[in-house]
Amino acid sequence: DESIFDVIAAGVGRFLDAEPPAQDWVLENCMINGKVGLLVAPGGTGKSQLTMQIAYDISSGRHCYSPWKPGRVGKVLVLSAEDEDDELHRRFRRLAADDMGNADSAALMHLLRENLLIVPRVGEDNLMTKERDREVEITPFVDRLIKTAAPIDVLRLIIIDPVSRFHGGEEN
């Protein structure tokens, strides 16, 4: 029988002899780049507002709205299947109102213009999964999203809000 691991290589000496690589935090001590996260709470408790605040902070590099400090500045794509464009506009302007009149506003507005993408998807077919014969399948929407987002350089976060409008089948 063949061994399932190298006993010598498994020793913790490799951990003792060098510092671990730095984490690429999207949100410090909360979310690592390249990992999937889920924000869960009852309806009407502010999840959409919090995700907009997180998007604002990551895309601007400021730590003023979300509970977590953003890591590197970069692009954020928000797909909203619950709020229409007018409501997204109102929410964003409430966040940006104080920043629009301050001394750093030109540089900050430039970062927001370059880095924050907000797409209303109300009434669209947003299903990323569907159930067929008691199995969950990925829909063509996933490939379309990947192809659309692939050219976005320095994409730090994709927010899908709310998750219930993007999945089909039994969530458990």
Side-chain angles (χ1 to χ4, degrees):
D1 286 335
E2 195 172 315
S3 177
I4 62 169
F5 63 89
D6 181 330
V7 173
I8 304 298
V12 296
R14 69 188 190 281
F15 298 146
L16 295 171
D17 296 340
E19 290 294 319
Q23 292 284 20
D24 182 9
W25 293 105
V26 175
L27 296 170
E28 286 189 13
N29 300 314
C30 178
M31 182 183 295
I32 300 169
N33 189 34
K35 302 294 182 186
V36 174
L38 189 62
L39 178 61
V40 180
T45 57
K47 295 180 301 294
S48 295
Q49 183 63 36
L50 177 59
T51 58
M52 184 70 80
Q53 292 168 326
I54 289 169
Y56 191 97
D57 282 359
I58 292 169
S59 61
S60 69
R62 297 188 39 155
H63 181 212
C64 50
Y65 292 115
S66 72
W68 302 279
K69 184 178 177 188
R72 287 188 295 121
V73 173
K75 291 188 173 54
V76 178
L77 171 59
V78 178
L79 299 176
S80 176
E82 191 167 63
D83 293 321
E84 295 170 333
D85 201 54
D86 288 348
E87 181 59 22
L88 294 168
H89 188 171
R90 283 187 284 274
R91 285 178 185 236
F92 176 77
R93 284 299 289 246
R94 280 193 299 268
L95 290 175
D98 288 341
D99 291 328
M100 292 175 78
N102 73 25
D104 299 326
S105 96
L108 184 64
M109 294 305 119
H110 176 76
L111 283 170
L112 290 166
R113 286 177 192 277
E114 291 291 314
N115 292 333
L116 185 51
L117 308 164
I118 301 174
V119 182
R121 298 278 312 165
V122 175
E124 302 286 333
D125 180 3
N126 298 309
L127 291 183
M128 299 175 112
T129 60
K130 65 181 178 181
E131 188 175 342
R132 179 180 293 167
D133 300 325
R134 298 174 47 101
E135 296 291 326
V136 177
E137 296 180 347
I138 294 175
T139 69
F141 179 82
V142 174
D143 287 331
R144 290 177 46 223
L145 176 57
I146 291 168
K147 285 178 185 170
T148 304
I152 302 171
D153 63 325
V154 196
L155 182 58
R156 299 290 288 159
L157 182 63
I158 298 175
I159 294 172
I160 295 170
D161 181 44
V163 71
S164 62
R165 304 255 172 106
F166 287 87
H167 78 84
E170 171 58 42
E171 62 190 66
N172 294 322

